[in-house]
Amino acid sequence: MNSWKRQHPAAIFISFLSSLKEIVVSLIAVLIFGQTQAYTSLFYLIFFSAILFIALYSGFVSWWKFYYNLQEEELLIKKGLIFRKNRFIRKDRIQSIDINANIIQRLFRLVELRIETAGGGSEPEFSLVALKREEAQKIKKQLLKKKTPPTSHTMDQEHPVSPSSHDEVEGMLIPDDDHDSHDVTPQTIVSDDLIEEREEVEEQVDFKWELGTRRLILAALTSSGVGIAATFLAAVVSQLPQLLPEWLLDHVIGWFVHSSILLIASLLLVILFTAWLFTLVGTMLKYGYFILKKQGNDIHISRGVLEQRQLTLNAARITGVRLVQSPMRQLFNVVSIYVESAGGGTKDEDLSTILVPLCKRNEVKYILEQTVPEFAISPNYESLPKESLRRYMIRLAIPSLIVAAVTTYYLPYGWLAFVLPIVGASIGFAQFKTAGICHNEYMLCLKTRTIAKTEVYLPKKRIQDMSSSQHPLQKLDNLHTLSVSVLTTVLGKTFTMRHVSHEQMEKSYGWYSYEETKRE
């Protein structure tokens, strides 16, 4: 484990495509605004060719001047042509290791290795984008392997080298003395066999949970991503007038003006159904082959059909658990489980990591007992005071009432929008009925709702900050907003409970206070 290596040459192509995605917006801007300029087709051909060449050259240099070296206790990185940079990733600072394989990487039978570190500053994530799966698994296994006490045998054979130039790096590929050349002995072979046996024992799984086909289909059918997909489709439809001929556009507008409400509503339902189909397929591709394993103190998660992902989390690094239940999933009494970890998570999961995409609500405690026992609790929530009910209802009803009034004034059927204040007040009432707070000896639990119901379990020792605020309307009823922060990414994550009573706020401060703990 003392040789400097490069990634697979396919990293050039992967980096090239990544650069293209970053400059695609600039290319589109040139195509749109450049049409008014007196430039010839030859200019655009040369311009785009130069951009493609620069992107390809940058990918080649990034691959050529990038080396990694896997050591016993750390991963060393050297990169850069003009500005050279060295990076040391120690195994005790690693929060999680993720192995991904998107469509392009799978064409080359390669994977991407992502490493989340604590205190990464401007670089919280490091990745090797083109590795053989065997090499990625080797690095992952070595970085996750527990530190063993040194013996006299290993002390004699270790000769750490710190290269200061490229020539020295290449020189590390050749043994420095004759001791290494005589290192293969029967005793060594026996030791290797013992190591393999120990590794097999270590690979025994303590707990295994699979999503399964039925749960996957139910997760897809009840997914809450329909709104995002519908918004995307609406954005695409909004751009059609720029592409349609003027006569066809006038015909379409006239059809809408003379169409009945029922026909327009049917068209909206078709758009929503199409968005639902997109979400259905996307969810099944994302969470297909989902497997959760607990091995010692490590949690292994694998998932994905087209883009395969393998993630390893250390249970000791988990700072919170979040249970999410959309209204549709409440009908089936199923829930999704997310974990907050010091290494952060993915952007599409709100910087969290999904532990279980879908399970029965009564299975949650058992799954948490097997994976993160600290969070396996049954909280008894305290409801919010009745004074906060009107705050929840007014907060959504008044903006809806203003929208309804404006819509009624400008649109023929705008009076139908007066159903919005009723919907807003109903959602506010549901938020009030759902909200609750719970303290036990070592855990703070918050239950809130926007549309989906969310429960958050936060250990006292993981909370970084607790604060409260009060705006003028809350002062009328002596209500407060409670905010609690835990470490996830470099910036952390904050959970908020609105309109708690003064007594609940003081109780939360007393529970969290170090001075109160000392008196007890």
Side-chain angles (χ1 to χ4, degrees):
M1 297 184 186
N2 61 345
S3 60
W4 289 87
K5 300 179 181 179
R6 289 192 180 100
Q7 299 181 85
H8 190 279
I12 301 173
F13 182 65
I14 296 173
S15 178
F16 170 71
L17 292 180
S18 178
S19 299
L20 284 184
K21 286 193 297 184
E22 294 177 358
I23 63 176
V24 66
V25 176
S26 301
L27 294 178
I28 293 174
V30 170
L31 286 173
I32 294 176
F33 297 107
Q35 294 178 356
T36 59
Q37 305 295 328
Y39 295 136
T40 63
S41 300
L42 180 61
F43 169 81
Y44 292 111
L45 178 63
I46 296 175
F47 179 78
F48 292 139
S49 299
I51 290 180
L52 292 177
F53 174 77
I54 293 173
L56 185 61
Y57 177 76
S58 175
F60 172 77
V61 171
S62 298
W63 167 79
W64 181 45
K65 285 298 182 181
F66 185 99
Y67 298 91
Y68 69 92
N69 186 348
L70 180 62
Q71 297 288 333
E72 190 71 23
E73 297 296 330
E74 61 188 358
L75 180 66
L76 312 181
I77 307 297
K78 293 179 63 175
K79 61 182 180 179
L81 177 62
I82 299 176
F83 301 99
R84 296 189 177 184
K85 186 174 183 179
N86 298 331
R87 188 173 182 185
F88 304 86
I89 302 177
R90 294 190 58 82
K91 63 165 59 176
D92 57 355
R93 304 299 295 169
I94 292 175
Q95 306 293 337
S96 63
I97 298 180
D98 194 353
I99 297 179
N100 302 332
N102 58 31
I103 298 178
I104 297 175
Q105 288 159 336
R106 292 176 67 182
L107 291 176
F108 295 97
R109 297 184 178 181
L110 301 174
V111 298
E112 176 186 6
L113 182 73
R114 294 181 181 177
I115 301 175
E116 293 280 356
T117 60
S122 61
E123 293 185 352
E125 183 181 278
F126 169 79
S127 65
L128 296 166
V129 298
L131 294 177
K132 291 288 187 182
R133 183 173 291 275
E134 296 79 10
E135 177 70 9
Q137 293 287 2
K138 176 184 175 183
I139 296 174
K140 176 180 176 179
K141 190 173 184 179
Q142 174 63 26
L143 293 178
L144 292 178
K145 187 168 67 175
K146 303 299 181 183
K147 186 175 181 180
T148 56
T151 63
S152 58
H153 178 70
T154 56
M155 289 293 290
D156 293 338
Q157 290 189 0
E158 288 183 355
H159 299 284
V161 181
S162 177
S164 58
S165 65
H166 180 72
D167 294 334
E168 291 178 353
V169 170
E170 296 294 334
M172 291 181 67
L173 299 174
I174 304 173
D176 293 331
D177 48 41
D178 295 335
H179 179 76
D180 292 334
S181 62
H182 299 288
D183 197 41
V184 180
T185 64
Q187 181 180 359
T188 305
I189 296 175
V190 173
S191 300
D192 292 339
D193 292 337
L194 291 175
I195 291 174
E196 291 178 1
E197 291 179 3
R198 291 172 183 171
E199 290 175 350
E200 290 178 0
V201 173
E202 291 176 355
E203 290 177 357
Q204 293 180 356
V205 177
D206 301 325
F207 173 73
K208 182 178 179 180
W209 185 91
E210 296 185 17
L211 181 62
T213 305
R214 293 179 61 183
R215 285 194 182 99
L216 176 61
I217 294 174
L218 183 59
L221 292 174
T222 59
S223 175
S224 58
V226 176
I228 299 175
T231 303
F232 173 76
L233 288 177
V236 172
V237 172
S238 67
Q239 298 301 316
L240 290 179
Q242 301 180 14
L243 304 176
L244 296 177
E246 185 175 351
W247 65 269
L248 183 58
L249 182 61
D250 293 338
H251 179 74
V252 171
I253 293 176
W255 179 83
F256 267 100
V257 171
H258 295 91
S259 296
S260 63
I261 298 177
L262 182 61
L263 189 59
I264 295 176
S266 301
L267 180 61
L268 293 177
L269 288 177
V270 170
I271 294 177
L272 289 175
F273 179 75
T274 306
W276 177 75
L277 286 180
F278 274 110
T279 305
L280 178 72
V281 175
T283 302
M284 297 186 71
L285 294 177
K286 182 178 182 180
Y287 295 118
Y289 307 119
F290 188 99
I291 299 177
L292 168 68
K293 296 179 182 179
K294 178 68 180 296
Q295 184 179 346
N297 206 35
D298 293 327
I299 299 174
H300 304 276
I301 300 172
S302 60
R303 75 183 195 199
V305 177
L306 294 181
E307 182 177 358
Q308 298 175 343
R309 297 191 61 189
Q310 293 181 359
L311 171 66
T312 299
L313 288 172
N314 191 316
R317 306 283 190 179
I318 293 177
T319 59
V321 168
R322 185 160 53 95
L323 311 180
V324 180
Q325 196 174 29
S326 65
M328 188 175 297
R329 290 183 176 178
Q330 282 186 261
L331 297 176
F332 297 94
N333 196 28
V334 291
V335 64
S336 300
I337 306 176
Y338 294 82
V339 293
E340 315 294 340
S341 62
T346 59
K347 293 180 180 179
D348 58 337
E349 294 171 355
D350 196 22
L351 296 179
S352 303
T353 300
I354 191 159
L355 185 70
V356 172
L358 191 82
C359 68
K360 287 288 186 180
R361 182 61 181 85
N362 55 16
E363 296 177 327
V364 171
K365 187 174 181 181
Y366 171 74
I367 294 175
L368 294 179
E369 283 177 349
Q370 301 299 319
T371 52
V372 278
E374 178 184 5
F375 296 90
I377 61 174
S378 298
N380 184 19
Y381 290 101
E382 178 186 355
S383 301
L384 299 187
K386 61 181 181 180
E387 290 82 8
S388 63
L389 172 59
R390 64 170 173 266
R391 297 300 168 200
Y392 276 101
M393 296 181 68
I394 291 174
R395 181 172 172 267
L396 295 177
I398 290 181
S400 302
L401 184 62
I402 295 174
V403 171
V406 174
T407 305
T408 302
Y409 182 79
Y410 285 102
L411 297 179
Y413 299 103
W415 57 269
L416 294 174
F418 273 100
V419 73
L420 293 178
I422 300 175
V423 173
S426 301
I427 294 175
F429 179 77
Q431 291 177 346
F432 167 76
K433 295 296 291 185
T434 300
I437 185 170
C438 172
H439 313 83
N440 63 22
E441 184 179 353
Y442 63 94
M443 190 78 68
L444 171 66
C445 303
L446 303 176
K447 186 169 62 169
T448 60
R449 178 189 293 276
T450 47
I451 299 298
K453 182 173 73 172
T454 302
E455 296 182 57
V456 183
Y457 301 164
L458 304 173
K460 180 190 291 188
K461 63 182 180 181
R462 300 293 187 182
I463 295 177
Q464 303 290 313
D465 176 69
M466 179 180 289
S467 61
S468 65
S469 60
Q470 187 182 51
H471 59 68
L473 293 178
Q474 286 179 322
K475 287 184 178 180
L476 298 176
D477 297 311
N478 201 17
L479 301 176
H480 303 264
T481 297
L482 185 68
S483 301
V484 183
S485 301
V486 295
L487 179 64
T488 52
T489 60
V490 176
L491 299 178
K493 179 177 285 188
T494 301
F495 300 95
T496 301
M497 171 69 74
R498 292 186 177 90
H499 311 311
V500 300
S501 66
H502 183 77
E503 292 76 15
Q504 289 171 329
M505 182 201 68
E506 291 290 343
K507 183 178 178 181
S508 299
Y509 276 144
W511 171 84
Y512 183 62
S513 172
Y514 176 70
E515 293 297 331
E516 187 73 19
T517 304
K518 285 200 306 182
R519 284 195 293 268
E520 293 177 356

